[in-house]
Amino acid sequence: MPLSRLLSIGVLVLMAAQPRPAAAQDSQAAGIIELNRRIMHEQIIERNADLFAEHSLEQFLVVAPGGRIEDKAQAMGGVNAWDAEAIEVRDEQVIFQGETAVLVGRLQIDGTMEPVGELPPMKFMAVFVNTDGEWKLLARSLTPCFDMAIQRGFC
């Protein structure tokens, strides 16, 4: 079978694997965006890990600014490293594959994080998994933007 036909079949199979209608996906995307914003606000501004603990899986991992990889317990303990007045989360996009949602966006923090200090704007990625009808956070990555990317409007 030619490669182009195999690729066509693969695309059709992937399209069929999306059981949710567009309106349902839009509603779920909005819910995931809101949940993520609430979790970030609670962790960074309120220094409270309760909402994160409730809505994240035990296997959670984060690639923190600076490249350190932390598990759920470390991420929960890290809330005390923040000294921030406000956060701005924007430009979010959500994609779905089966029971997995990937959220990307931009995060700006007005404050500092020990031991790093003040952080530039960051891009983030968060992976949510639908478990028993609830979206749970499985992984997150926070990537500080380079000055050149900020100056050129990429971040």
Side-chain angles (χ1 to χ4, degrees):
M1 184 176 288
L3 180 60
S4 62
R5 183 165 173 114
L6 285 173
L7 290 174
S8 296
I9 291 170
V11 168
L12 290 174
V13 168
L14 284 175
M15 289 171 60
Q18 294 291 350
R20 295 180 203 92
Q25 273 193 348
D26 289 346
S27 174
Q28 288 190 28
I32 290 167
I33 288 169
E34 178 59 27
L35 176 59
N36 185 68
R37 286 181 174 197
R38 287 178 40 224
I39 291 170
M40 285 184 163
H41 177 86
E42 285 295 312
Q43 284 185 287
I44 298 169
I45 302 300
E46 304 299 330
R47 295 181 180 187
N48 184 337
D50 292 346
L51 190 66
F52 167 76
E54 179 183 345
H55 293 284
S56 61
L57 295 169
E58 291 307 312
Q59 311 92 311
F60 174 84
L61 287 176
V62 60
V63 179
R68 182 177 164 151
I69 297 174
E70 298 178 351
D71 63 19
K72 184 174 181 174
Q74 291 169 311
M76 289 175 64
V79 297
N80 294 318
W82 292 105
D83 182 15
E85 295 292 321
I87 62 170
E88 178 186 27
V89 185
R90 67 175 205 210
D91 303 332
E92 294 109 316
Q93 298 175 38
V94 181
I95 58 172
F96 293 93
Q97 178 59 48
E99 297 300 312
T100 302
V102 177
L103 167 64
V104 296
R106 183 182 189 274
L107 172 64
Q108 176 73 52
I109 300 170
D110 180 11
T112 60
M113 180 185 81
E114 291 300 325
V116 178
E118 189 174 328
L119 292 166
M122 292 180 277
K123 295 290 181 140
F124 70 86
M125 180 181 291
V127 179
F128 287 83
V129 178
N130 193 332
T131 304
D132 299 325
E134 279 191 80
W135 289 102
K136 299 283 187 170
L137 186 58
L138 175 63
R140 173 175 281 146
S141 179
L142 300 165
T143 305
C145 298
F146 291 117
D147 288 340
M148 182 184 355
I150 297 168
Q151 293 166 0
R152 293 187 178 178
F154 301 144
C155 185

